[in-house]
Amino acid sequence: MMRRVFGITGWKNSGKTTLTEKLVAELARRGWKVSTVKHAHHDFDIDKPGTDSFRHRHAGAAEVAIVSGRRWALMHELRGEDEPTLDEILSRLGTSDIVLVEGYKRETHNKIETRRLEARDRTPLSAGDPHIVAVAADFTVSGESLPVFDLDDTKSIADFIERATGLTR
């Protein structure tokens, strides 16, 4: 199955998460089923000490599934294994119309680069990454050969992503 994957990349504090959140809401409003993959810092945890699932993992379980009538989650402890590739993660997702991938700067799917004046690093990533196909910034960008969007223009960015991924009815 061919997955539609589109990335949101950029330096720390460049607006990736906010843009991803707005794009999910806009694409879902348009009737698309959207999944996301977020690359996180190595020490993140979605589980809290004291919960049953935390106790299962702490006891040594390699995988713990938590299931309710509203949602389910699967946690996989790497326990020394290599971090899975993006392709491995994508293969484990259920069906959706599009997967938005936040982070994963070095991957080869098409991406939009976020830029904010407040970002810690404002060095353009697009110059060194042929997979960056557009830029979204909260300031005027000059001398850029790619399409440039206002970081808050979610509708136009969603239109661009639909065109770029072939997401049409």
Side-chain angles (χ1 to χ4, degrees):
M1 177 190 73
M2 212 326 257
R3 273 200 191 271
R4 285 186 184 84
V5 176
F6 196 88
I8 295 90
T9 193
W11 297 108
K12 185 172 175 60
N13 298 320
S14 64
K16 295 183 301 291
T17 300
T18 301
L19 180 58
T20 302
E21 178 185 14
K22 289 177 175 179
L23 286 169
V24 168
E26 177 62 23
L27 291 166
R29 187 190 64 73
R30 295 178 184 196
W32 301 116
K33 184 175 179 183
V34 183
S35 295
T36 65
V37 176
K38 159 78 175 143
H39 195 260
H41 195 265
H42 68 96
D43 64 357
F44 92 100
D45 200 339
I46 62 171
D47 210 359
K48 302 283 179 262
T51 62
D52 294 350
S53 54
F54 184 91
R55 292 170 61 189
H56 294 185
R57 281 191 312 142
H58 243 63
E63 286 191 323
V64 177
I66 310 167
V67 183
S68 79
R70 291 187 184 264
R71 70 186 57 87
W72 69 272
L74 177 64
M75 287 180 287
H76 179 100
E77 286 294 320
L78 291 175
R79 305 221 189 274
E81 298 170 47
D82 290 337
E83 178 180 320
T85 65
L86 177 58
D87 283 342
E88 289 171 325
I89 294 302
L90 291 171
S91 75
R92 296 190 85 164
L93 295 180
T95 58
S96 63
D97 295 311
I98 188 167
V99 180
L100 296 180
V101 175
E102 182 184 335
Y104 288 96
K105 272 188 203 71
R106 290 164 191 84
E107 292 289 335
T108 58
H109 56 274
N110 284 347
K111 316 180 253 292
I112 188 166
E113 177 185 349
T114 56
R115 297 181 190 167
R116 287 181 65 226
L117 280 173
E118 264 97 70
R120 190 188 319 171
D121 191 336
R122 290 206 312 267
T123 309
L125 294 169
S126 59
D129 185 347
H131 304 288
I132 292 175
V133 295
V135 173
D138 70 352
F139 58 91
T140 303
V141 175
S142 54
E144 180 61 67
S145 60
L146 300 173
V148 177
F149 297 93
D150 183 293
L151 193 53
D152 292 321
D153 189 359
T154 309
K155 282 187 170 47
S156 295
I157 296 169
D159 291 344
F160 177 83
I161 291 171
E162 284 179 332
R163 285 191 308 273
T165 61
L167 195 60
T168 55
R169 296 253 182 254

